Amino acid sequence: MGWTIGWISLVFSLSTALSVILSIRGVTLLGPASFAAAGSGVLASGMERGETTLTLIGVVFIAAGLSSVFLMMRFARLPLHGLLGARLLTRREPRERRTRLCRFTDLDQRFLPLLEETVHKYSLGELRSATRLCCETRYADNGALRSGTYAGPVPVIEACILTEKLVIIAIMYTEGAGVALVGRLQQTVLSQVSHSEGEHEAYVRSAWLDSTEASSYPFPLDDGPAGEEFVAEFRAMLSAARHT
């Protein structure tokens, strides 16, 4: 009995540690899923030994883990780390993109409620007049993946907005929900990456508000001149911000 209790404690401790580590590193959904995996081991041990207590503990672990995963996927508007974790788990073919530079007033109308909420949340002031650079990337396939799997909501349109002090990335998903990331321009680093499958991304690394550590977000670009111009102007604004 002592060995059994020790084994349960070890599994629970390892599962808890794995959940915390995965959540911190951004793979949010795998955290609660590890509880379900641990529960499977406890359940199997209980059934093999014919011990009702172990079996019940395993069932509780599995139910708690699966319920947490379901609730997070169904109701949560993913925070920054969860969002990045979802992007890291993507395995898919390139999705057709269209990137354009635009004025703030020309952004897709679906962004307006999200940006309004973001302005009030962080007390950003008059964002429309403060915007100096605005880029929008739309997925032509309306968010449908051609192949592969995706752990998290699928973005259909994304925008990057820059003022003299802030960088804001707004993402809208297929189900109509959205999320906005806000960072300080002086604490932002930009790098451009072109993948072998033909995708182009501008990795925006910043100390995002509401986040405990700096992290990168891969803002998608097509292979046209608008994306190149956006990156060049973005870098010029970063240089100006650092010398202010």
Side-chain angles (χ1 to χ4, degrees):
M1 184 65 180
W3 181 89
T4 301
I5 294 175
W7 187 84
I8 294 174
S9 301
L10 177 62
V11 171
F12 182 80
S13 299
L14 291 176
S15 177
T16 303
L18 180 62
S19 300
V20 173
I21 292 171
L22 290 173
S23 296
I24 290 175
R25 293 184 64 84
V27 192
T28 307
L29 295 179
L30 291 186
S34 67
F35 278 94
S40 300
V42 177
L43 177 62
S45 178
M47 294 177 66
E48 181 181 355
R49 296 170 177 274
E51 296 184 16
T52 306
T53 302
L54 277 181
T55 303
L56 289 176
I57 292 175
V59 171
V60 171
F61 270 39
I62 294 172
L66 294 180
S67 298
S68 298
V69 171
F70 172 77
L71 291 173
M72 290 175 67
M73 294 183 65
R74 176 64 180 84
F75 297 108
R77 289 178 60 178
L78 293 181
L80 175 60
H81 292 289
L83 178 65
L84 297 183
R87 293 294 291 265
L88 290 174
L89 289 175
T90 304
R91 298 190 301 275
R92 53 180 170 75
E93 292 180 1
R95 299 168 61 198
E96 186 181 350
R97 304 166 171 178
R98 292 195 298 266
T99 299
R100 69 185 181 106
L101 295 176
C102 60
R103 295 177 300 180
F104 182 89
T105 52
D106 293 330
L107 281 170
D108 190 286
Q109 296 296 306
R110 288 172 288 184
F111 283 124
L112 298 183
L114 173 63
L115 292 174
E116 216 173 287
E117 178 184 338
T118 303
V119 166
H120 288 301
K121 179 179 180 180
Y122 297 108
S123 300
L124 302 182
E126 182 52 52
L127 182 59
R128 179 179 303 186
S129 60
T131 298
R132 296 293 177 264
L133 181 63
C134 189
C135 183
E136 182 182 275
T137 293
R138 184 187 304 268
Y139 295 97
D141 55 9
N142 198 29
L145 296 178
R146 294 173 187 154
S147 68
T149 59
Y150 190 84
V154 181
V156 293
I157 185 169
E158 305 186 41
C160 185
I161 302 164
L162 277 76
T163 72
E164 292 181 352
K165 297 181 179 179
L166 300 172
V167 53
I168 301 171
I169 294 179
I171 308 102
M172 296 302 299
Y173 301 116
T174 49
E175 69 272 20
V179 64
L181 316 178
V182 182
R184 296 181 177 86
L185 204 58
Q186 285 186 330
Q187 300 174 332
T188 299
V189 177
L190 180 69
S191 58
Q192 191 175 12
V193 176
S194 296
H195 300 287
S196 57
E197 61 269 24
E199 292 185 330
H200 303 275
E201 291 172 322
Y203 277 78
V204 184
R205 182 175 180 81
S206 187
W208 307 104
L209 304 185
D210 288 342
S211 177
T212 57
E213 59 183 12
S215 54
S216 296
Y217 183 84
F219 183 74
L221 302 168
D222 63 19
D223 57 358
E228 295 179 2
E229 184 179 351
F230 165 70
V231 171
E233 293 192 24
F234 197 152
R235 285 176 174 159
M237 290 188 64
L238 287 175
S239 179
R242 292 192 183 98
H243 289 86
T244 301

